[in-house]
Amino acid sequence: MQTIFVDWGGNNVKLTWMPRMKLTESLIVTSVHAVCFRDGKVLLSQIKNRGFNYPGGHVEIGENVEEAILRETYEEGYVKGTIKYIGSIEVSHKEICLLIQVENIH
């Protein structure tokens, strides 16, 4: 596992990469992303308000993870293919440290 902290829309967010983490029914997966390879190239989609990124997005109600990733890769990259799961990224907002600058203290 590897953990980093990033500024995500002005918020400090903890991201932990968990390679080959087993997906279980009880695990809550809210979004999916794909790294799509073909002929030694990687697909990036230009997404409004996100710039260039891997295709992906939120899992819709009633969808499983595989259905969501196939839908998202087609919607954003116009590609279809087979899925090989490589890992998960846990996104945590729990360890946020809030710092406030106070000026003109009397």
Side-chain angles (χ1 to χ4, degrees):
M1 290 193 310
Q2 180 179 359
T3 298
I4 61 171
F5 289 86
V6 298
D7 180 324
W8 195 331
N11 298 302
N12 193 32
V13 176
K14 177 183 174 185
L15 302 176
T16 304
W17 168 245
M18 296 179 286
R20 297 173 297 282
M21 183 181 126
K22 185 173 178 162
L23 295 178
T24 63
E25 290 293 323
S26 63
L27 187 66
I28 298 172
V29 177
T30 59
S31 63
V32 294
H33 291 274
V35 181
C36 303
F37 297 97
R38 182 171 180 180
D39 299 330
K41 297 178 182 175
V42 176
L43 173 69
L44 294 177
S45 298
Q46 186 173 12
I47 309 301
K48 186 177 181 179
N49 299 322
R50 284 189 356 210
F52 286 94
N53 205 335
Y54 297 122
H58 289 95
V59 177
E60 295 181 358
I61 295 172
E63 267 185 330
N64 65 36
V65 172
E66 291 82 11
E67 292 167 336
I69 198 62
L70 291 172
R71 177 184 51 77
E72 288 288 349
T73 55
Y74 189 74
E75 285 178 3
E76 295 183 0
Y78 303 105
V79 297
K80 294 181 179 183
T82 57
I83 298 170
K84 178 182 177 186
Y85 175 73
I86 59 173
S88 296
I89 297 176
E90 179 184 65
V91 180
S92 175
H93 300 269
K94 293 178 182 176
E95 298 185 38
I96 297 174
C97 177
L98 180 62
L99 299 176
I100 301 172
Q101 180 177 342
V102 180
E103 297 178 358
N104 299 322
I105 299 176
H106 301 285

